[in-house]
Amino acid sequence: MKRSSLAFLLIILFVIVGCKKGSDDRKDSLPVFDMEAVIGRQIPDTFTWNGVAKKINYVPLSTSSDALFGAAQLVHIDNDFYCMIDPKTSSVFYSDKTGKIIHSFSRKGQGPGEYAWLTYVSMNPKDSTISVFDQKSGKYIIYDLMGNFIKETFLKEKGLNTVHLISDNFAVAKGLDAGGYKLCVTDKDLNIRKNLFPMDTTLTEMERFCMIWQLNYSKNRDMFIANFANEDTVFAVTAKGALPVCVLKKGKYALPEEEAKKPMDIISTPYIRSMWLSTVSDYYLITYLFENQYYDEIWNGRDNKIISRLSCENGEWGFPLCLPSGKKVLLNTRLLYVNGNMVASFIDAATAVEGGVEGVEEDDNPVLVVMEL
């Protein structure tokens, strides 16, 4: 009788442990997006941002003779400010939460404290600074909120190439082509703290260059989403390092490693390349080049299924948003601001008027669209 009771208890224990292990395995498993299985299929394009957004706000930017902007791209949102750039005039400007422009500045030039391109811009309200990375000159420049020059750093002096993310207390950048790592995590002054994704030391400098530049681009501001064309695992890179977040099952469409070592060819190839990859809430936004055609896709991380795919024809990028009048506009996936469960973009004033957005006239500044998912 005692043996029977003991055996029964052991069976119960094994079942409990097994159930717990199965639960832990499911908890720790990564979303797997089977791109190989669906790449040739017709996918419905019924997706709209309205269908997944809990809240959508339209913020008209105030217009005055000394504050006119041809375009706008958001780089920062907090409880007090919207910080934006105008790529057409190389201006940095910020507004309060009502859209009233508080200040703007432009420091375009070739001298100290000046930039040629606004490649990446970040606002840090904790120390009241605005940081600019200029790809063309290889400079990282810091200003105060009024645009006064504080200091600049040349990336080569830090052993870095391209900055992909500037946060309050860390940054993520590509390593130098002559180095042995694809990515580096740095402090806010670009001093390297962690080297990530080591490369084969037997590669030539050109091969290392090609391998490094197979990295995707990410629109996330809370972390950098990293994936390489010849690999399937996607990583979130933060101050702590790299953590796997999902798997892109590319199968036969994955770029072979030998091809990744070569300069990208402009001819059509049967591989997925040139990716933009971001994550917001439970959704993954993927843009990629395949057979000389760009595609935008949205995948659901809860069931690992593709929701929508659009081909980027005639230079039109992104997924649709229905404005108050019912008019649909595309929000360019390359220009989105993504942070946590927030997604933001802009529409021009004429489109906003046609779309029934209140408080806007056709010649006004662009209108900020802020969505909470």
Side-chain angles (χ1 to χ4, degrees):
M1 184 70 178
K2 290 183 178 180
R3 289 183 179 179
S4 299
S5 299
L6 180 60
F8 178 74
L9 289 174
L10 288 174
I11 291 172
I12 294 298
L13 179 61
F14 287 143
V15 169
I16 292 173
V17 172
C19 289
K20 185 178 187 302
K21 184 179 185 302
S23 175
D24 290 342
D25 288 343
R26 288 190 294 272
K27 181 179 178 181
D28 295 337
S29 63
L30 301 177
V32 177
F33 304 138
D34 196 344
M35 299 183 71
E36 180 185 28
V38 302
I39 200 167
R41 294 182 185 176
Q42 186 70 30
I43 304 296
D45 59 356
T46 56
F47 173 88
T48 65
W49 284 110
N50 310 72
V52 298
K54 297 176 181 177
K55 184 178 181 182
I56 301 177
N57 286 332
Y58 298 96
V59 185
L61 298 176
S62 61
T63 302
S64 63
S65 58
D66 59 345
L68 286 172
F69 304 101
Q73 184 176 342
L74 192 68
V75 298
H76 178 81
I77 295 176
D78 63 28
N79 293 329
D80 302 309
F81 295 109
Y82 295 120
C83 183
M84 297 148 276
I85 63 171
D86 179 357
K88 293 185 178 180
T89 62
S90 297
S91 299
V92 179
F93 60 102
Y94 56 98
S95 75
D96 63 19
K97 297 310 286 282
T98 69
K100 180 180 179 181
I101 304 298
I102 298 173
H103 187 69
S104 67
F105 67 89
S106 177
R107 299 291 179 264
K108 188 171 183 179
Q110 302 296 325
E114 297 177 331
Y115 48 78
W117 292 345
L118 290 171
T119 310
Y120 188 99
V121 179
S122 177
M123 180 181 184
N124 187 347
K126 292 182 179 179
D127 59 10
S128 300
T129 60
I130 292 176
S131 302
V132 171
F133 166 58
D134 175 10
Q135 176 77 57
K136 187 173 183 179
S137 63
K139 290 198 296 187
Y140 172 68
I141 312 170
I142 298 179
Y143 306 94
D144 65 21
L145 296 186
M146 300 303 292
N148 298 310
F149 171 56
I150 297 176
K151 67 177 181 178
E152 68 180 16
T153 303
F154 287 90
L155 267 69
K156 282 190 176 181
E157 296 175 357
K158 298 291 187 177
L160 302 171
N161 193 307
T162 301
V163 173
H164 285 287
L165 174 70
I166 301 172
S167 189
D168 292 347
N169 58 359
F170 76 100
V172 179
K174 281 191 178 83
L176 283 179
D177 307 335
Y181 297 89
K182 296 178 183 178
L183 279 180
C184 303
V185 177
T186 77
D187 62 18
K188 64 180 182 180
D189 294 319
L190 299 188
N191 299 305
I192 296 176
R193 291 291 177 257
K194 290 183 176 68
N195 290 308
L196 304 175
F197 308 112
M199 290 186 291
D200 185 347
T201 56
T202 64
L203 297 177
T204 66
E205 187 170 335
M206 176 55 72
E207 288 173 334
R208 287 195 295 270
F209 169 82
C210 294
M211 293 285 284
I212 288 174
W213 286 93
Q214 295 298 338
L215 177 70
N216 70 278
Y217 292 86
S218 169
K219 302 309 298 181
N220 283 74
R221 290 276 172 164
D222 48 342
M223 55 188 164
F224 180 70
I225 306 299
N227 174 256
F228 295 88
N230 61 311
E231 299 175 1
D232 283 357
T233 304
V234 177
F235 296 87
V237 181
T238 67
K240 297 180 180 180
L243 180 69
V245 292
C246 70
V247 175
L248 302 181
K249 188 179 177 183
K250 303 171 190 172
K252 64 182 180 181
Y253 304 111
L255 184 69
E257 186 167 342
E258 288 305 312
E259 290 295 319
K261 297 175 184 177
K262 303 175 183 177
M264 185 172 173
D265 204 327
I266 60 173
I267 65 173
S268 178
T269 63
Y271 307 118
I272 296 171
R273 308 186 72 154
S274 299
M275 297 187 73
W276 286 259
L277 178 61
S278 303
T279 177
V280 54
S281 187
D282 293 315
Y283 302 97
Y284 291 77
L285 315 180
I286 304 174
T287 300
Y288 60 90
L289 176 65
F290 177 68
E291 294 184 341
N292 281 352
Q293 177 67 56
Y294 277 101
Y295 296 92
D296 277 327
E297 295 180 353
I298 292 186
W299 290 73
N300 192 330
R302 288 171 292 185
D303 59 15
N304 298 357
K305 293 183 179 180
I306 187 171
I307 298 175
S308 185
R309 176 193 292 136
L310 297 174
S311 60
C312 305
E313 299 176 353
N314 303 319
E316 295 182 344
W317 296 74
F319 291 98
L321 169 74
C322 288
L323 299 178
S325 70
K327 176 182 174 61
K328 283 187 178 182
V329 294
L330 295 180
L331 300 185
N332 193 328
T333 47
R334 289 184 171 189
L335 302 179
L336 293 178
Y337 172 95
V338 180
N339 193 338
N341 66 338
M342 302 294 295
V343 179
S345 187
F346 281 88
I347 55 176
D348 61 73
T351 299
V353 171
E354 187 178 352
V357 178
E358 297 181 358
V360 186
E361 296 184 4
E362 289 190 359
D363 294 329
D364 283 352
N365 278 324
V367 174
L368 175 61
V369 181
V370 182
M371 299 178 287
E372 181 182 340
L373 272 59

